[in-house]
Amino acid sequence: MRTPPRPVDIAAVFPELTAYARTTTRLHPRPGEPGVHDSSVGGPLLWPADEPWPVCSDPHAAVDPDDLVSVEDERLRRRILKEAWGETGFTDEIRARLEALDDRAPTAIPAEVPLLAVAQLYARDVPDLKPPEGADLLQVLWCPFDHEDEMYCPAVTLKWRRSADVGRPLAEQPEPEVAGSDNYVPERCVVHPEQLVEYQYSDFLPPELAQRIEEWEEETDSTYFYGLSVAQGWKVGGWSNWNLTDPYPMACACGSELDLLLKIDSGEWDGEQHWRTEDHEELEDANPAKVTIGRGYGLWIFVCPVSHDHPHQLSMQ
Ligand SMILES: [Zn+2]
Ligand SMILES: [Zn+2]
């Protein structure tokens, strides 16, 4: 899976930008049937059979009851829709099956919610994953409800492992019965990691350089922010955007500046099709992982470079 070359090699136009270049790994999740030994989005995770599956019993922000979905039925609904968009079309029988799912939709949030697998990334597949000493596997789970103290986003749990330490993996992985939104149920996907170069968000460039880039954008009808600096889509490492809130410091209690670990995104490319991938014609839409954060934002997960035991922090942009 590849990202076509950027329309302009911006570092050739502004050689000073090479000092602000960083690699990132776009994950390119695509629906598939990954196993526990594969990097994936939406699971399954390589989880030790004798280790309890994490649950959330934190308070949850109020949900519009119409937004509640059964996780299992949401997967079924997607399969039925796929069938309908394919050969069969929207027959009366398909309509009836979809209505039956609506009729049995959940009406309440359970007190205890098993976490949902969001991503599993092996260091061998993802060059920009920087695991702590001895670990080679990152597992990301979330509680699929809005949490007031997590910026009204799902609460994320990160688990680093040494995959060789997992003896017998858990065969039947728990899933929550209910999610606060169909947007929080990731489609089961294989990933196609691709490493590329990004450039720093313009607010953090020397003002004089940012000014010249702005003038160049006007002269050439180009866009540094959308098309040339930070990649769209799910990615590991690299730079972060701050276009929604303007930059605020991401610092650990230990005093260190946090690094971007992972961006969970609401699509692979934006409306203007910047960062559109080569397989776009085969995809039903720009959001194969079927996760949407807020009004189509990204959930940016930051970690402390000093220790992975220090708490991660989130930003929504
Ligand atoms: Zn929760
Ligand atoms: Zn720290």
Coordinates of all heavy atoms in Angstrom, one line a residue, residues 56-60 113 115 143-145 147 155, ligand 1:
C56 N -13.7 -1.5 32.0 CA -13.8 -0.1 32.5 C -15.0 0.0 33.4 O -16.1 -0.5 33.0 CB -14.0 0.8 31.3 SG -14.2 2.5 31.8
S57 N -14.9 0.5 34.5 CA -16.0 0.8 35.4 C -16.1 2.3 35.8 O -16.7 2.7 36.8 CB -16.0 -0.1 36.6 OG -14.7 -0.2 37.2
D58 N -15.4 3.1 35.0 CA -15.4 4.5 35.2 C -16.8 5.1 34.8 O -17.5 4.5 34.1 CB -14.3 5.2 34.4 CG -12.9 4.8 34.8 OD1 -12.8 4.3 35.9 OD2 -12.0 5.0 34.0
P59 N -17.1 6.3 35.4 CA -18.3 6.9 34.9 C -18.3 7.3 33.4 O -17.2 7.7 32.9 CB -18.4 8.2 35.8 CG -17.0 8.4 36.3 CD -16.3 7.1 36.3
H60 N -19.4 7.2 32.8 CA -19.5 7.5 31.4 C -20.3 8.7 31.1 O -21.3 8.9 31.8 CB -20.0 6.3 30.6 CG -19.1 5.1 30.6 ND1 -19.4 4.0 31.3 CD2 -17.8 5.0 30.2 CE1 -18.4 3.1 31.2 NE2 -17.4 3.7 30.6
V113 N -17.7 -2.4 31.6 CA -17.5 -2.6 30.1 C -16.2 -3.3 29.8 O -15.1 -2.7 30.0 CB -17.6 -1.2 29.4 CG1 -17.5 -1.4 27.9 CG2 -18.8 -0.4 29.8
L115 N -13.1 -4.0 27.6 CA -12.5 -3.1 26.6 C -12.5 -3.7 25.2 O -12.6 -5.0 25.1 CB -11.1 -2.7 27.0 CG -10.9 -2.0 28.3 CD1 -9.5 -1.4 28.4 CD2 -11.9 -0.9 28.5
C143 N -12.3 1.8 25.9 CA -13.7 1.6 26.4 C -14.6 2.5 25.4 O -14.4 3.7 25.3 CB -13.8 2.1 27.8 SG -15.6 2.2 28.3
P144 N -15.5 1.8 24.7 CA -16.1 2.6 23.6 C -17.3 3.5 24.0 O -18.4 3.4 23.4 CB -16.6 1.4 22.7 CG -16.9 0.3 23.6 CD -15.9 0.4 24.8
F145 N -17.0 4.3 25.0 CA -18.0 5.3 25.5 C -17.2 6.6 25.7 O -16.0 6.5 26.0 CB -18.6 4.9 26.8 CG -19.6 3.7 26.6 CD1 -19.2 2.4 26.8 CD2 -20.9 3.9 26.3 CE1 -20.0 1.3 26.6 CE2 -21.8 2.9 26.1 CZ -21.4 1.6 26.3
H147 N -15.8 9.5 27.6 CA -15.4 9.8 29.0 C -15.1 11.2 29.2 O -14.3 11.8 28.5 CB -14.1 9.0 29.4 CG -14.4 7.5 29.4 ND1 -14.7 6.8 28.3 CD2 -14.4 6.6 30.4 CE1 -14.8 5.5 28.6 NE2 -14.6 5.4 29.9
A155 N -11.9 6.0 26.3 CA -10.8 5.9 27.2 C -9.8 4.8 26.7 O -10.2 3.7 26.5 CB -11.2 5.6 28.6
Ligands
ZN1 ZN -15.4 3.4 30.2

